[in-house]
Amino acid sequence: MRYLIVVFLLLSTALQAQSISGTIVDSKDKSPLPGASISLLHLPDSVTLGTATDAEGRFAFLNVAASSYVLRVSFIGFTDTLRNIQLADGQGLELGTILLRSDAINLGTVEVVEQVSQSTQKGDTTQFNAGAFKTNPDANAEDLVTKMPGIQVQNGKVQAQGDDVKQVLVDGKPFFGDDPNAVLKNMPAEVIDKIQVFDQQSEQSRLTGFNDGNTSKTINIITKSKAKEGYFGKVFGGYGYGNDHVFRAGANINIFKGDRRITLLAQSNNVNEQNFSAEDLVGVLGSSGRRGGFGGGGGGWGGGNSDFLVNTRNGISTTHAFGFNYTDKWGKHKKVDLTASYFFNLSDNDANSETLRDYVLGGDSAQVYEEQSLNSSRNINHRFNVRMEYKIDSMNTLIVRPRFSLQQNNGFSNLTGQTTTGEALLNNIVNNFESDLLGMNFNNEATYQHRFKKKGRSLSFTLTNGYTQNNGESFLYSETNYFADSIYADTLDQNAQLDKNGWSIGSNITYTEGAGKNGLVQFNYGNTYNKVASEKETYDFSTATQEYTALDTTLTVIFDSRYQTQYGGISYRFNNDKLQFNLGANYQWSQLDGDQSFPYQAKISRSFQNVLPNAMLMYKFTDKKSIRLNYRTSTNQPNIEQLQDVIDNSNPLKLTRGNPGLAQEIQHRLFSRYSASNTEKSTSLFFMIAGGYTQNYIGKNTIIATEDTTLAEGIVLQTGSQLTTYENLDGYFNLRSFLTYGLPLKFMKSNFNLNAGVAYSHTPGKINNEINIANSTTFSLGLVVSSNISEKIDFTVSSNSSYTFVKNTLQPQSDNSYFNQNSRLRINWIFWKDLFINTDLSHQFYAGLSGGFDQNFLLWNAAVGTKLFKNKQGEIKVSAYDILKQNNSITRNITEIYTEDVRTDVLQRYVMLTFTYNIRKFKGGKNDKDMEIPTVPQGPSGMPAGGGPPPGSPPPGGGY
C-alpha cells in the first residue's frame, strides 16, 4: 500500500523541467535526420553534454541548469550548425526545427566520387548503410541484413555478433512485439536506409540513465525519409504439385502516415513456411508429443518446443496465420506512444522420425535405444501485445506493457522402440499417446518514473503481475515386453487429467542520485511472489465399467509451490567520453515452500540468502573502437515438475520423477566484446568471448537397469528400463567465443565476411549414481561472399563448418566426434529485359554419426519468371523445390547421459506456379517509380559512391 501512496504523491507532483529540446531535419526535403550528433557546451567552464537525435530527428537535454550554452549539431554530409542559447531559471526551451544544409560543393566539371562507407561504429552501436549492400528489387530485410558482417539467420533464429537478436525495431519503435522474424521477412529492403545493431538497455536503465548491464541484442531499421508516408507491400498466391497438392498464399500490407503505422499480414501454405516466434509454440508437443506433463517456468507446457521453431526441415507443416501491428502517437500534444500487435497462428504438423541413442554407462556396459515414431499435432495460438508510453511531462513518464496469449494443442504420437546391449534384446515397446491441452498466459508490467530538477536524481517504481492457467487431458496406451531370464509383458491403458495454474506479483523501487561530475549512485529494493498449484490425476481403464475409473495413486499428485524473494542493493556508475563502468551488488533473501497433499502429505521449506554482485565496463578507444565487459549473477529456482514427487510414465521405458529436496541454482555469467570499424576501408571486426558457471546445477540422475532392480521406493525397474530424477550437482560451466571480420572485395564488387568460433561445455550428470562429466568442444569456421554488383544480379556463396568432439569421464569408450559442413550458393539474376532466374544450391555433409545416419546430399531449388505490367509491379514465376529429391534432416544431440541421432521426414520435390503483385505508393507519387528512392552511384571500383551514413546510435533515453 505504501508504494501506491508514493506513486500517487509523485503523480500529483507538478514540477517544471529545465530542458532544451528540438528537431533536426534536412533543409531540402524537411525529412528528419536520426542519429545526428548534438553537443551542449556550458559557458564559461566548457563542460560538454552530448546526445543523439532519435528516429524522428528529435533530441532533448533534461535537468539543465540555468546558464549560457553553445549548441552544436553535426551530421556527416551536412554543414555543422552552431547556436548560442540562454536558458532562464525555471523555464524550458523548445528550439523548434533546426535545418541542416548539405555540405556538397559544386566544382564545375570536376566530380569528386567517394566510396560509401559500409558501416560506422559509435560507442556500442554498429550502423550499416543499406545503400552499400546491393539486393534485388523485391528483396526483404532478411536478404539485406544477412549480407552485413556478423548478422546471420540460422534455424529460424536471428543472430548478430554471436548473440541471439531479441527484438527488431523500426525507426526506434517496437514492431510485432518481440518477434525478429516477423519484421525481417516482411519489411522490403528497398525502403531501408540504415541498419543499427546495438545492445538495448533494459526499460529501467533507459528511464533512469543508469546502465545496469542488463542488455539484449537489438536491430533497429531506419527507413528512408520518403517511405515514411504512403503504403507498400505485396499479395501473392501459388499452386503446384509434388507427392501431393501444394499451395501458398499471403499478403503483407504496410500503411505509413507520419507517426501512424499499420501493418497487416496473412499467409496460408502447406510447404513449411512459418512466420511466428517461439512464444507461438507454447503448448506444442512436437515430435516428442508423448510427454504427458506440464513444463516448468512461465506457465508453458512440457514437450519439444525446440523441435517446432521456424525450421522447414522438421516434419511437414500446414500453416494459417494472421498478424496486425499498430503504432501511433495519441493526444493533442502526442504524449502517448502506443504500439499494439495481434497474432493468430494455426499450425498442423506431421513428423516421422527415427532415433538412435547411445547411453554412457560405467565400465564396459553399453545400451542402445532405437525408436521409430509418427507424431501429429495441431496448435492454435492467439497472442496480443501492447506497449504504451505516456510522457506526462518532461519530468514524469508512465509505461505500461500488458501481454496475453492463448494456446490450444491437440497431439498424437505412435512409437515403437527397443533397447539392446550388444546383440541381446532387453525390451521393446509400442506406445500410443494423445493429448488435448489448453494454455493461457497473461502478464503486465507498469513503470512510473520521475526525474527531479537536480542532475542525476530520479525515482522510479515498477509493478508486475501475471497469471497462467493450463489444463487438459491425455490418453496413454502402451504394450511393453521385457526379455531377461524370462519374458515379462506389461500393458498400460490410462487417462490423465491435468490442471495447473499460477500467479505472480512483484514490485521494484529505484532511486538514483548524482555523484560528482560523471558519477551516479543507484539504490534499489524489490520483492516478488510466485504461487503455482498443480494437480494431475491418472486413472486406469476398468474392464468392469469400460471407463477410466481406477485411480492410480503412484501416478497422481496434488502439489503447490510458493517462491518469494526480497532484494536490495546499491550500484555506482561512472561515465565520461571514454570510459563507462558500473559496480554494484544485491543482497537477496529467498523462500521456497511446497505442499504435497496427495498421494501422501509432505512439506518443503527452504530459505536462501545470497549476495549477487554485478559489474560492467565499456571503454571507447575511439568512436570506432570499443571494448565491453559485463559480469552478472542471478538465481534460478527449480520448477514445480522438478520438485513434485510423482512418476511420469508417458514412456514406460523412460520414467521421470521430481525431487522435493532441490535447491536453487546460482548462475555467474561473464561477457566481453571488442568492436572496431574502419570507415575508409569499409571493414568491421567483432570479437566476443563469454562464459558461465552454475552453482547447485540442477542435473539428472538416471538409473539404467542392467538387471531387474527394485529401488528403495518400491519401484521395480525391468532390465533395460530407466528412471530419471533431478539432483543439485557442482561443476557445470561453459565457454564460447566468436569472431567475425568483414571487408569489401573491390576486384569482384562483393563483400566478404569471415567468422570463427570455439565453444566448450562441462556438464555433470549421474548415471547409476556415478558422476559422469560430458566435456563437449566445438570448433567452427565460416565464410560468406555476397555480391555488391548491381540490383540485377545478386549472389551469395557461403560455407560453415564445425567439428565437435565429446569426452565422457565415466566411460571413455563412449567418446565420439563428428564433422558438419553446410555450403550454399544462391543466385538471383535479371538476365534479359524483365526475365529473371533464381537458383539455390545447398550442400549438407555430416560425418561421424551413428551407423546409417551420416549424410551427404544436395538440396537444389530454382525458379524462372518475368515481371509484368507497366511499372513492373506484377510477377509470375515457376519454381521447383528439391529438384534432385535429396532433402533430408538429421540432427545430433549430446547430453551428459547419452548421445543421440535423429532423422526426420521432410518436405521433398514439388513444382509451383506463383503470382505476386507488389504494392508501392508513397507521398507525392502514384506508383513505384514515383517513390524516388535514390540509387547509389557507382565509384571507379564498382562499389557504391557518395556520402557515408551518419554516426548512428540507438534511440536515446534522454540526456541530463
Side-chain angles (χ1 to χ4, degrees):
M1 178 61 69
R2 62 179 182 272
Y3 295 144
L4 297 177
I5 295 174
V6 171
V7 173
F8 178 79
L9 291 175
L10 290 175
L11 285 169
S12 302
T13 303
L15 296 176
Q16 177 64 37
Q18 291 189 159
S19 62
I20 299 174
S21 59
T23 303
I24 310 300
V25 302
D26 188 335
S27 62
K28 289 185 177 180
D29 58 10
K30 304 301 185 293
S31 62
L33 297 176
S37 177
I38 315 294
S39 60
L40 191 64
L41 178 68
H42 181 242
L43 302 175
D45 57 15
S46 298
V47 175
T48 303
L49 301 176
T51 188
T53 55
D54 62 14
E56 298 168 347
R58 289 194 56 79
F59 70 91
F61 292 95
L62 304 178
N63 307 315
V64 183
S67 187
S68 298
Y69 298 90
V70 174
L71 183 79
R72 184 186 188 96
V73 183
S74 303
F75 197 77
I76 293 179
F78 291 81
T79 303
D80 287 3
T81 295
L82 300 177
R83 181 173 293 190
N84 293 317
I85 294 174
Q86 183 67 43
L87 184 63
D89 190 19
Q91 296 182 2
L93 183 59
E94 170 58 49
L95 300 177
T97 300
I98 300 175
L99 304 178
L100 290 193
R101 300 184 182 279
S102 172
D103 61 3
I105 300 176
N106 187 358
L107 300 178
T109 58
V110 179
E111 182 182 2
V112 178
V113 179
E114 179 188 357
Q115 177 178 310
V116 70
S117 192
Q118 284 192 354
S119 65
T120 58
Q121 190 72 29
K122 187 70 173 180
D124 219 21
T125 299
T126 305
Q127 179 166 282
F128 297 99
N129 189 342
F133 301 89
K134 296 293 184 181
T135 58
N136 285 146
D138 297 328
N140 60 26
E142 182 179 308
D143 298 324
L144 174 65
V145 300
T146 50
K147 287 178 174 285
M148 298 173 176
I151 304 178
Q152 59 182 348
V153 179
Q154 282 190 325
N155 298 325
K157 290 185 177 180
V158 184
Q159 293 184 323
Q161 302 167 7
D163 289 338
D164 290 343
V165 174
K166 302 300 183 184
Q167 189 176 45
V168 175
L169 307 174
V170 176
D171 292 328
K173 298 180 181 180
F175 208 69
F176 280 108
D178 297 326
D179 191 344
N181 285 293
V183 184
L184 296 181
K185 290 181 180 298
N186 293 285
M187 178 67 67
E190 64 181 292
V191 305
I192 298 174
D193 186 25
K194 295 173 181 65
I195 297 290
Q196 295 176 334
V197 181
F198 62 97
D199 292 308
Q200 175 86 292
Q201 296 180 18
S202 65
E203 201 90 67
Q204 181 73 18
S205 297
R206 298 200 301 274
L207 285 171
T208 62
F210 193 107
N211 186 354
D212 59 10
N214 186 14
T215 62
S216 58
K217 188 64 67 179
T218 302
I219 291 177
N220 181 36
I221 296 175
I222 299 177
T223 58
K224 296 179 179 179
S225 59
K226 292 187 178 181
K228 299 181 188 296
E229 293 268 344
Y231 53 88
F232 58 93
K234 66 180 179 180
V235 293
F236 61 89
Y239 184 80
Y241 191 80
N243 292 331
D244 202 348
H245 298 278
V246 292
F247 67 91
R248 63 186 298 266
N252 170 14
I253 308 296
N254 301 272
I255 305 169
F256 285 14
K257 186 176 182 180
D259 295 320
R260 181 179 301 164
R261 300 187 172 190
I262 299 173
T263 297
L264 298 172
L265 294 176
Q267 70 164 352
S268 179
N269 71 84
N270 63 351
V271 291
N272 276 1
E273 293 184 1
Q274 302 175 24
N275 190 21
F276 45 81
S277 68
E279 188 176 344
D280 286 299
L281 299 172
V282 177
V284 173
L285 294 176
S287 60
S288 299
R290 56 191 174 275
R291 296 181 177 92
F294 292 98
W301 299 95
N305 287 6
S306 60
D307 294 338
F308 278 78
L309 296 178
V310 181
N311 184 349
T312 59
R313 290 175 141 192
N314 186 23
I316 301 174
S317 294
T318 298
T319 302
H320 310 284
F322 171 79
F324 171 81
N325 191 82
Y326 174 85
T327 301
D328 200 0
K329 289 191 174 184
W330 287 0
K332 181 178 179 181
H333 301 290
K334 296 189 175 182
K335 292 185 176 182
V336 178
D337 214 333
L338 180 71
T339 299
S341 66
Y342 167 75
F343 262 123
F344 167 79
N345 195 290
L346 188 157
S347 177
D348 290 303
N349 181 275
D350 294 313
N352 294 323
S353 62
E354 178 184 354
T355 301
L356 182 64
R357 183 178 298 173
D358 289 303
Y359 284 92
V360 179
L361 295 173
D364 296 327
S365 302
Q367 279 194 14
V368 176
Y369 174 73
E370 299 176 76
E371 179 183 289
Q372 301 275 349
S373 65
L374 168 63
N375 306 278
S376 299
S377 77
R378 160 168 282 209
N379 186 72
I380 300 174
N381 177 273
H382 303 266
R383 191 174 80 232
F384 183 70
N385 294 296
V386 175
R387 183 186 187 276
M388 184 191 73
E389 180 174 345
Y390 176 32
K391 295 180 180 178
I392 303 169
D393 52 38
S394 58
M395 305 294 278
N396 300 282
T397 302
L398 176 66
I399 299 176
V400 181
R401 296 190 64 180
R403 300 184 178 198
F404 175 81
S405 64
L406 179 68
Q407 305 91 20
Q408 181 180 356
N409 177 263
N410 300 101
F412 170 80
S413 73
N414 171 265
L415 72 83
T416 59
Q418 67 176 31
T419 307
T420 58
T421 176
E423 299 295 328
L425 176 65
L426 299 181
N427 54 55
N428 60 30
I429 186 173
V430 177
N431 196 56
N432 291 318
F433 183 85
E434 295 182 61
S435 63
D436 184 4
L437 310 173
L438 180 68
M440 185 267 285
N441 189 2
F442 170 80
N443 62 76
N444 183 51
E445 179 180 295
T447 300
Y448 170 77
Q449 197 250 356
H450 174 75
R451 299 177 190 267
F452 294 86
K453 286 185 177 182
K454 183 179 178 182
K455 174 185 175 182
R457 181 178 295 175
S458 70
L459 183 67
S460 65
F461 176 76
T462 299
L463 180 66
T464 61
N465 63 290
Y467 177 77
T468 63
Q469 182 174 336
N470 302 297
N471 53 64
E473 65 176 344
S474 61
F475 295 87
L476 169 66
Y477 182 85
S478 70
E479 295 178 353
T480 310
N481 297 303
Y482 300 94
F483 307 94
D485 297 332
S486 60
I487 298 177
Y488 171 74
D490 185 26
T491 300
L492 293 176
D493 189 359
Q494 296 175 334
N495 167 245
Q497 303 289 331
L498 311 170
D499 188 9
K500 174 184 173 183
N501 62 78
W503 58 271
S504 64
I505 188 169
S507 64
N508 178 276
I509 187 167
T510 302
Y511 176 79
T512 64
E513 181 72 30
K517 179 181 176 181
N518 297 307
L520 195 68
V521 178
Q522 175 176 286
F523 303 90
N524 67 285
Y525 167 78
N527 57 72
T528 62
Y529 182 83
N530 296 273
K531 185 179 187 302
V532 180
S534 177
E535 181 176 346
K536 177 184 177 182
E537 298 177 348
T538 302
Y539 296 90
D540 292 318
F541 184 77
S542 171
T543 55
T545 63
Q546 293 295 299
E547 293 180 351
Y548 295 95
T549 54
L551 183 67
D552 190 331
T553 57
T554 62
L555 302 176
T556 297
V557 64
I558 300 176
F559 190 90
D560 294 345
S561 71
R562 298 172 300 281
Y563 183 75
Q564 57 181 319
T565 63
Q566 293 194 59
Y567 57 90
I570 182 173
S571 301
Y572 172 75
R573 185 196 77 173
F574 177 87
N575 186 18
N576 63 19
D577 291 340
K578 290 284 187 179
L579 175 67
Q580 180 181 142
F581 74 84
N582 295 341
L583 185 64
N586 277 322
Y587 171 77
Q588 178 177 290
W589 171 86
S590 307
Q591 179 70 33
L592 175 63
D593 295 301
D595 292 310
Q596 180 171 295
S597 57
F598 195 87
Y600 59 88
Q601 291 190 348
K603 288 185 177 295
I604 301 172
S605 182
R606 286 188 181 79
S607 180
F608 309 99
Q609 300 181 58
N610 305 104
V611 176
L612 304 174
N614 62 83
M616 189 275 289
L617 181 145
M618 187 173 76
Y619 182 76
K620 294 190 292 184
F621 302 98
T622 67
D623 282 344
K624 301 173 184 177
K625 295 181 181 180
S626 66
I627 189 170
R628 175 176 181 164
L629 302 172
N630 189 24
Y631 169 70
R632 295 188 64 81
T633 55
S634 61
T635 60
N636 178 44
Q637 73 273 18
N639 63 49
I640 196 168
E641 282 70 33
Q642 294 170 332
L643 289 171
Q644 60 189 15
D645 187 10
V646 66
I647 293 175
D648 180 356
N649 71 331
S650 1
N651 185 337
L653 294 181
K654 295 175 177 57
L655 307 177
T656 61
R657 185 180 190 179
N659 176 11
L662 290 176
Q664 65 178 4
E665 294 180 333
I666 304 174
Q667 299 172 337
H668 303 258
R669 294 186 294 273
L670 180 64
F671 173 86
S672 64
R673 183 178 64 243
Y674 173 78
S675 305
S677 63
N678 186 320
T679 56
E680 290 77 19
K681 297 182 180 180
S682 294
T683 61
S684 60
L685 171 69
F686 304 98
F687 176 71
M688 178 272 292
I689 184 169
Y693 171 73
T694 301
Q695 297 173 248
N696 295 327
Y697 170 72
I698 298 177
K700 294 180 178 180
N701 182 5
T702 300
I703 304 298
I704 301 177
T706 56
E707 59 182 8
D708 292 353
T709 305
T710 301
L711 303 181
E713 301 88 341
I715 299 173
V716 177
L717 289 183
Q718 301 291 332
T719 304
S721 60
Q722 59 187 251
L723 172 67
T724 298
T725 58
Y726 301 93
E727 286 191 21
N728 290 113
L729 303 172
D730 290 325
Y732 174 83
F733 67 89
N734 64 78
L735 294 169
R736 64 188 181 99
S737 63
F738 180 81
L739 179 145
T740 179
Y741 179 70
L743 76 161
L745 301 177
K746 298 180 181 179
F747 70 93
M748 61 183 300
K749 303 178 183 178
S750 299
N751 300 309
F752 175 76
N753 296 327
L754 173 70
N755 63 79
V758 180
Y760 173 78
S761 65
H762 181 90
T763 308
K766 276 188 174 182
I767 304 175
N768 292 338
N769 294 314
E770 294 184 82
I771 287 287
N772 178 60
I773 304 295
N775 297 286
S776 176
T777 306
T778 299
F779 297 93
S780 59
L781 180 66
L783 58 89
V784 180
V785 177
S786 57
S787 67
N788 215 6
I789 301 172
S790 73
E791 289 83 359
K792 290 184 176 295
I793 185 167
D794 179 17
F795 69 81
T796 301
V797 181
S798 64
S799 182
N800 291 281
S801 301
S802 65
Y803 178 72
T804 300
F805 58 91
V806 182
K807 293 185 177 295
N808 295 283
T809 58
L810 185 59
Q811 191 184 54
Q813 60 267 36
S814 296
D815 296 348
N816 65 89
S817 60
Y818 64 97
F819 176 77
N820 172 238
Q821 184 181 55
N822 190 344
S823 301
R824 186 176 184 183
L825 169 64
R826 186 178 63 179
I827 301 175
N828 298 321
W829 180 25
I830 303 175
F831 61 93
W832 182 66
K833 292 186 177 181
D834 295 329
L835 295 178
F836 64 86
I837 185 170
N838 305 329
T839 190
D840 190 328
L841 290 163
S842 179
H843 178 253
Q844 183 73 245
F845 177 75
Y846 258 115
L849 304 183
S850 305
F853 280 81
D854 284 346
Q855 60 180 340
N856 182 5
F857 72 90
L858 183 66
L859 178 63
W860 180 22
N861 307 323
V864 61
T866 184
K867 297 292 182 179
L868 303 172
F869 312 133
K870 179 180 179 181
N871 297 312
K872 302 179 183 179
Q873 290 175 270
E875 172 189 292
I876 189 167
K877 69 177 180 182
V878 177
S879 56
Y881 176 81
D882 189 19
I883 296 174
L884 303 179
K885 204 173 184 179
Q886 295 185 9
N887 193 19
N888 206 339
S889 174
I890 292 179
T891 57
R892 164 155 284 197
N893 302 309
I894 298 173
T895 75
E896 66 278 17
I897 309 298
Y898 58 79
T899 298
E900 73 173 8
D901 295 314
V902 182
R903 178 189 288 116
T904 306
D905 283 355
V906 293
L907 190 67
Q908 290 192 321
R909 184 166 56 200
Y910 68 83
V911 178
M912 178 178 287
L913 176 68
T914 305
F915 173 76
T916 303
Y917 185 80
N918 293 290
I919 303 167
R920 300 285 188 274
K921 186 171 183 180
F922 294 88
K923 186 177 181 180
K926 298 180 180 179
N927 50 44
D928 288 347
K929 294 183 178 180
D930 293 321
M931 180 178 172
E932 296 180 357
I933 295 178
T935 57
V936 182
Q938 299 292 305
S941 66
M943 299 298 293
S953 61
Y960 293 133

